Amino acid sequence: MTSGKDEEFYKRVGGDRIGSRQIDELIGIARGLVADDQINVAEVEFLQKWLAANLHISDQPVVRVLYKRITEMLGDGVVDDNEKAELLDTLNQFSDRDIGGLGEILKSTSLPLNDPVPALTFPGRRYCFTGTFNFGRRKECEHAVESLGAEVGILTQKTNVLVVGIYATDSWKHSSFGNKIMKACEWRDSGLPISIVSEAHWKGYLPRT
């Protein structure tokens, strides 16, 4: 068992080497898991255990972000279809070594967000959430706006606000939620009153706890 001094030594002397080796191993795992374009609970649990075993020697944001998200997914003992699709997108990004977006806040220029950004209200408004959220699981995001009087549901022409999760990369068009964003863009361009906003903008309108 390593002490706090040992961990500090690893980070100071070998942290870069360890981090690089972890990322290479994680990329290999990701490629194996997405090979059949499916993922099951046993595979998610395996990935969670690997991430947990590597947390103590890692300062890699992607390791911590993935571990947090997967732990949330497994919290209720069920990995639903939306969560599986979300995780497959993430692992496909790892397979292609496109890992930067998981450790960074999305850039406004990489997504067709409303400009200028709109003021958000909740009572009587209909929200839809897509992507991976730092706030928590999608159900938690939906509950947050429902508690403020908003409705939630799938993307339709009656949707008022589409919120895009903070962990999105420049390859969003090729993700499972890319079609949803592009459809919202089409409707917005045709004159429908739908706004596309970032998680950071949406979160700024939630009550502080």
Side-chain angles (χ1 to χ4, degrees):
M1 183 173 182
T2 59
S3 67
K5 289 184 179 179
D6 289 333
E7 291 179 17
E8 191 61 35
F9 174 79
Y10 286 140
K11 289 180 180 180
R12 179 161 45 85
V13 178
D16 290 342
R17 184 175 66 254
I18 292 170
S20 177
R21 188 167 68 242
Q22 284 178 314
I23 294 302
D24 287 342
E25 187 174 347
L26 183 54
I27 288 170
I29 292 171
R31 286 174 175 167
L33 292 178
V34 303
D36 60 357
D37 203 32
Q38 296 180 27
I39 195 161
N40 57 47
V41 174
E43 291 171 328
V44 177
E45 290 175 341
F46 165 79
L47 183 55
Q48 183 194 38
K49 289 177 181 177
W50 183 92
L51 292 166
N54 282 271
L55 278 178
H56 73 289
I57 56 171
S58 175
D59 59 358
Q60 295 288 324
V62 291
V63 173
R64 297 188 180 280
V65 168
L66 253 188
Y67 178 73
K68 177 176 181 288
R69 184 64 64 246
I70 289 174
T71 299
E72 290 170 347
M73 288 180 179
L74 292 171
D76 58 2
V78 177
V79 183
D80 62 31
D81 290 342
N82 285 333
E83 290 170 335
K84 288 178 181 177
E86 174 187 314
L87 188 53
L88 277 172
D89 277 339
T90 300
L91 295 177
N92 273 311
Q93 289 170 23
F94 276 116
S95 299
D96 297 332
R97 289 184 176 269
D98 180 14
I99 62 175
L102 288 169
E104 301 174 359
I105 294 175
L106 66 84
K107 301 172 184 176
S108 300
T109 55
S110 68
L111 289 165
L113 306 176
N114 276 51
D115 185 15
V117 293
L120 300 180
T121 57
F122 298 99
R125 306 284 283 175
R126 187 176 182 86
Y127 280 72
C128 179
F129 295 86
T130 191
T132 305
F133 291 82
N134 190 57
F135 183 84
R137 298 172 65 191
R138 195 169 306 166
K139 291 177 183 177
E140 294 176 50
C141 298
E142 292 175 345
H143 178 71
V145 297
E146 285 179 320
S147 67
L148 297 173
E151 297 179 2
V152 297
I154 62 173
L155 182 70
T156 71
Q157 293 189 9
K158 293 182 179 180
T159 300
N160 301 117
V161 182
L162 175 65
V163 185
V164 182
I166 204 166
Y167 295 111
T169 68
D170 287 336
S171 58
W172 62 268
K173 288 184 180 179
H174 306 293
S175 67
S176 65
F177 53 88
N179 288 337
K180 189 179 295 184
I181 296 173
M182 288 190 284
K183 177 60 69 175
C185 284
E186 291 177 12
W187 290 340
R188 183 181 63 185
D189 293 344
S190 71
L192 290 177
I194 181 171
S195 298
I196 304 173
V197 303
S198 68
E199 176 183 352
H201 180 67
W202 163 75
K203 190 175 177 181
Y205 283 85
L206 298 180
R208 295 182 181 275
T209 55

